[in-house]
Amino acid sequence: MILASGPLRAHRLDEYLQGTLISIEKNRVQAQIALTPGVAVYPILLAVIDADHDGVISESEKRAYAGRVLHDLSLSIDGRSLTPRLLSAQFPAIEDIKEGRGEIRIEFESDLPGGGPSRKLLLQNRHQSRIAAYQVNCLVPRDSDIKVVAQRRNYTQSSYELDYTQAGAVSSPLLRWPSGLNAPALAIALLLIARLGFLWRSPARYF
Amino acid sequence: MRSARRVPTLRILTLFLLPLSGVVAQTATSRIVSAANAFLSTLDQKQRQSVLFAFDDEKQRTRWSNFPVQMVPRAGLSLKDMNAAQRAAAMTLVSAALSPRGFEKVQQIMEGDEVNKVNSRNNPIFGKDLYFISFLGTPSEKTPWMLQFGGHHLALNITIAGDHGILTPTLTGAQPALFTADGKTVRPLAGESDKAVALLNSLDENQRKQAVLSFRLADLVLGPGQDGKTIQPEGLKATNMNEKQKTLMLDVISEWANIVHESAAAARMAELKADINETWFAWSGPTDVTPGKNITAYYRIQGPHLVIEYAPQTLGGDPALHVHTMYRDPTNDYGRKFTGK
């Protein structure tokens, strides 16, 4: 047997792979980020994750790091900012991270406010951007009322846009809730306007 | 004329002889089951215990990886822990479950890991004896069971359910993806690379604009640990391809679909051919190719019953020399359609 040459590396090396899979529902977006540090960059990550440098990733350190990852994300729907809520965070053993085979899995969700039939979700990831290799994909929606129209990304996939349609949503912009105003507040406002109109037409308006 | 006459005569003779020899009765499944039982009969009690798992053992079902076995431990019995007769029986079984080219590909992937071992001064994490075999369920012609065989850059998950042979999910890979052995150049995943290039080169400018994605894909999206997920397809849909291009895409697909034994592969190819208009082709990365070498671009072929990913690995070396691939059927991974598991 004769041999081939070249470096022998069975593991991720100098990048921090961050693969995100997004799942869209009518009232909710859920996502999983699988983060795999390469062997050449794990010291950068461990210094952040194992904050007290005791060689163990404690529960509070796991929560803190997951929070940091979520803090480095920007998520919005139809131009309205969303706050990701942590669902779970799974960490491998430090030895696995050191060998480039350790995958951190973080799951989060966010409630989606009502919207029109055509929607745009935006996800931006800035976490460890200097060493990151981002990947973002949308899962085929389980709800047949939701159809993915387009996915757009920049070259590094740090910025991801998802256009989708949602059957059964109110289509007229006049009937959409104005941005920043919740449904009960709008209902109260409409009632007040109606009451004022009634008073204006009534003779009592002169008193 | 003479040869034309000879053919029917031979056919008639064969029809008489086949029932006598019992060949007609030997389906692919019965051949695999016989080979599985022959292998099991070579094992001692302890070995049998380590190789047999319950059919519903989800942990074992999903215990596969692209990593070497010392980095991500597998369960079952490794070739290293078998004697020569047991090893021969194990490889006969793997051979029975695969097509001749599929078995050759598997052997080349294993041979590549042996090259790794020698190149790394006998690093014990590499080597062609570090491949594990296991069974989920009991080999049977009627009741579903699974044969797993894998190690570094290889994870064959073969579900046998009656006459059905399901190869998904299966991971193949190669490092080095180009080497010489016994004076011959070996490229275990040559077809996967070269046929995809042929498809890409057949596209016109407008088709290429759709097929070639504008962003980088660093790795597999649906690799190990991502069972049961279906991502939104992207790229060029086959409805926008001509018949020749569809044929070229089926040819790429055949590199994975034809790993399994011929009758299962034929059924699988028929299914994927029927789906062809709903199948997508996406490419990310360089479109230039060095003749005789693998591509350095990622590509994906995705249909209603198919996800294929080809992902060169940028791990500090030449990505053409280190490739991971994934072959899935999101509707039937582990044969769930036939087994309900």
Side-chain angles (χ1 to χ4, degrees):
Chain A
M1 187 172 60
I2 308 171
L3 312 173
S5 60
L8 292 177
R9 294 183 179 107
H11 37 235
R12 192 147 291 283
L13 185 66
D14 53 2
E15 289 181 321
Y16 188 19
L17 183 67
Q18 301 179 39
T20 305
L21 292 173
I22 295 173
S23 172
I24 286 282
E25 296 167 34
K26 277 191 178 121
N27 305 315
R28 177 176 173 263
V29 56
Q30 191 261 329
Q32 174 208 77
I33 312 182
L35 305 109
T36 314
V39 289
V41 297
Y42 86 82
I44 301 170
L45 274 306
L46 270 190
V48 177
I49 298 169
D50 183 20
D52 60 7
H53 311 295
D54 67 348
V56 178
I57 305 173
S58 66
E59 286 305 312
S60 62
E61 285 170 336
K62 288 177 186 175
R63 278 195 303 275
Y65 183 69
R68 193 168 179 149
V69 172
L70 297 193
H71 179 264
D72 289 341
L73 303 178
S74 295
L75 186 65
S76 67
I77 184 90
D78 304 331
R80 298 173 61 179
S81 182
L82 300 171
T83 305
R85 191 165 51 243
L86 182 66
L87 289 175
S88 68
Q90 295 174 345
F91 283 71
I94 283 184
E95 280 310 307
D96 291 343
I97 294 176
K98 285 180 178 174
E99 291 192 12
R101 65 171 187 259
E103 185 180 273
I104 301 163
R105 282 202 182 189
I106 293 172
E107 285 188 317
F108 66 89
E109 67 173 0
S110 189
D111 295 331
L112 292 179
S118 297
R119 313 211 67 179
K120 186 187 291 290
L121 182 97
L122 177 65
L123 175 69
Q124 289 180 312
N125 190 347
R126 296 175 299 278
H127 186 62
Q128 295 289 348
S129 59
R130 204 169 50 79
I131 53 174
Y134 302 114
Q135 296 194 159
V136 192
N137 281 277
C138 181
L139 299 177
V140 172
R142 287 186 183 164
D143 185 339
S144 58
D145 282 348
I146 298 174
K147 305 278 184 214
V148 171
V149 176
Q151 299 178 88
R152 281 182 296 277
R153 308 156 176 88
N154 61 355
Y155 178 73
T156 61
Q157 299 201 57
S158 63
S159 180
Y160 171 84
E161 276 180 46
L162 171 70
D163 293 346
Y164 68 95
T165 59
Q166 188 171 309
V170 180
S171 59
S172 168
L174 289 173
L175 296 176
R176 262 192 238 162
W177 301 129
S179 178
L181 196 61
N182 63 26
L186 189 64
I188 290 166
L190 287 171
L191 281 172
L192 281 172
I193 290 166
R195 177 67 181 152
L196 282 171
F198 175 78
L199 288 174
W200 183 76
R201 286 194 293 175
S202 157
R205 70 183 185 274
Y206 299 110
F207 296 101
Chain B
M1 281 297 283
R2 279 182 65 192
S3 60
R5 260 187 202 170
R6 224 179 249 169
V7 172
T9 315
L10 275 172
R11 276 187 187 155
I12 291 161
L13 268 174
T14 310
L15 283 172
F16 275 106
L17 291 171
L18 281 178
L20 294 174
S21 64
V23 173
V24 163
Q26 182 128 54
T27 62
T29 297
S30 63
R31 226 175 34 240
I32 297 164
V33 170
S34 296
N37 288 330
F39 167 66
L40 288 171
S41 72
T42 68
L43 305 181
D44 63 30
Q45 190 58 31
K46 195 179 167 193
Q47 287 174 314
R48 277 178 73 94
Q49 278 176 353
S50 64
V51 87
L52 291 169
F53 295 83
F55 186 65
D56 59 0
D57 189 332
E58 278 302 308
K59 200 170 176 184
Q60 176 60 17
R61 195 184 303 272
T62 57
R63 192 183 279 136
W64 52 270
S65 169
N66 51 284
F67 282 106
V69 299
Q70 292 196 353
M71 295 175 82
V72 176
R74 316 299 202 273
L77 192 60
S78 78
L79 296 176
K80 190 181 178 182
D81 294 326
M82 296 179 198
N83 62 33
Q86 291 166 338
R87 191 182 291 222
M91 294 315 288
T92 298
L93 166 57
V94 175
S95 164
L98 305 182
S99 66
R101 172 59 194 140
F103 186 59
E104 183 186 39
K105 196 183 301 247
V106 164
Q107 287 180 304
Q108 289 175 342
I109 289 167
M110 295 166 70
E111 198 62 50
D113 215 47
E114 191 67 19
V115 172
N116 275 341
K117 185 179 179 180
V118 177
N119 276 1
S120 60
R121 295 180 198 161
N122 287 326
N123 187 332
I125 73 165
F126 300 119
K128 64 181 175 186
D129 53 357
L130 294 177
Y131 287 80
F132 281 67
I133 193 165
S134 63
F135 300 86
L136 278 81
T138 310
S140 162
E141 292 186 40
K142 306 275 183 212
T143 313
W145 60 285
M146 227 179 111
L147 167 66
Q148 292 183 313
F149 183 73
H152 190 202
H153 288 139
L154 183 68
L156 298 174
N157 294 298
I158 306 166
T159 305
I160 306 293
D163 289 339
H164 303 285
I166 302 105
L167 186 68
T168 52
T170 273
L171 180 145
T172 57
Q175 183 195 27
L178 172 66
F179 58 94
T180 53
D182 302 325
K184 288 181 182 168
T185 300
V186 180
R187 261 204 309 150
L189 305 178
E192 289 83 339
S193 177
D194 298 351
K195 290 179 177 181
V197 171
L199 172 58
L200 183 75
N201 287 340
S202 75
L203 305 180
D204 65 27
E205 194 181 344
N206 189 38
Q207 289 172 315
R208 268 193 181 223
K209 275 183 190 164
Q210 294 174 67
V212 179
L213 306 175
S214 61
F215 50 89
R216 179 188 174 217
L217 272 150
D219 210 337
L220 299 171
V221 175
L222 296 176
Q226 299 291 4
D227 290 342
K229 290 168 183 160
T230 308
I231 56 172
Q232 190 68 27
E234 292 182 277
L236 175 68
K237 197 176 180 185
T239 44
N240 297 316
M241 294 181 186
N242 61 36
E243 291 308 309
K244 189 185 168 197
Q245 290 163 340
K246 290 177 192 176
T247 304
L248 286 171
M249 186 153 74
L250 281 168
D251 202 24
V252 185
I253 292 169
S254 73
E255 284 296 322
W256 286 269
N258 285 344
I259 291 173
V260 74
H261 66 79
E262 286 91 336
S263 60
R268 178 71 171 143
M269 281 304 291
E271 178 184 45
L272 298 173
K273 192 174 178 183
D275 281 347
I276 195 69
N277 284 333
E278 295 301 315
T279 305
W280 300 64
F281 175 60
W283 180 285
S284 168
T287 54
D288 54 324
V289 183
T290 306
K293 280 187 78 175
N294 282 21
I295 54 173
T296 57
Y298 167 101
Y299 73 83
R300 182 191 308 149
I301 297 177
Q302 185 175 351
H305 303 101
L306 175 72
V307 178
I308 283 172
E309 289 184 277
Y310 179 102
Q313 301 296 297
T314 52
L315 306 181
D318 179 355
L321 290 178
H322 189 171
V323 181
H324 294 170
T325 89
M326 198 64 234
Y327 173 53
R328 287 185 178 276
D329 177 351
T331 68
N332 197 26
D333 274 353
Y334 307 106
R336 291 187 199 278
K337 202 188 283 179
F338 302 111
T339 66
K341 297 287 181 188

